[in-house]
Amino acid sequence: AKQIIEAELGRPADEAFSGIEGSPIAAASLGQVYRARLRTDPEQEVAVKVQRPDMIKQVALDMHVLRSNGGLLRLAGYVGDVEGLVDDWGVGFVNELNYQEEARNSAQFMQEIAKTPLADSVFAPEVVLEASGKRVLTTKWIHGERLEKSSADDITGLCSIAMNTYLTMMLETGTMHCDPHPGNLLRTPEGKLCILDWGLVTTVNPDLQLTLIEHVAHLTASDYAKVPGDLVKLGFVPEGAEATVINNGVVDFLTYTY
């Protein structure tokens, strides 16, 4: 980890951070996280995410093996587009390996959420750019507890804020955090919601946002005849498969689920 920090920052890890000795405090997908303090500001605690060695080679090999075995998966009965699925996975993995992109994602979220009523309720950790690189990401340390483990009186409200935040990302701002597992959602001592780990993000374009809103409106208004067409526009089923959707009970199932 120290070798990677030195390679990315151009100086030894001990010159950039103090207290980084010992084991990482958490795993972070393709990296691991250390708790430390900045040498330039000893009062500032930080989380230092360091990518595991040779991850790009390992990811490339995994994607190659999966993609080249598409024929075997089809023989085993898989009917989807194996190569297309693996290509999408590959794009996500490679983007997640670039921590500079993760820093931009976090900053983009903060810029966008600042224009909404949620601005004072939810945030992403502030990135320390001078101590970050492509394989090292340093953010200010966030004190808090996992949302699902908190017994605070305001936890129900924070769950509502989390839901509204993700709906806002999906239907309004378009920059959507795609890794909302419990370890990435914290309640701070001030009663705010902090969303961690912005490596896995997707962009929801305005046309898709409108289609999603129309889809929900059709279900809410019980206008079920338009649901198969919605699923085609959303890319869930191929064009011309509307009858199959109806005959297989998909509309009934979606209606029941929602």
Side-chain angles (χ1 to χ4, degrees), residues 32-53:
Q32 53 198 27
V33 180
Y34 295 85
R35 188 172 182 173
R37 292 181 183 272
L38 293 175
R39 285 288 187 189
T40 55
D41 183 5
E43 296 299 313
Q44 181 61 62
E45 275 194 297
V46 291
V48 185
K49 182 160 76 168
V50 184
Q51 196 171 112
R52 300 179 193 275

Side-chain angles (χ1 to χ4, degrees), residues 124-140:
E126 182 180 343
V127 175
V128 183
L129 291 174
E130 63 270 22
S132 299
K134 194 169 184 179
R135 294 182 296 163
V136 175
L137 181 70
T138 302
T139 63
K140 291 185 176 180

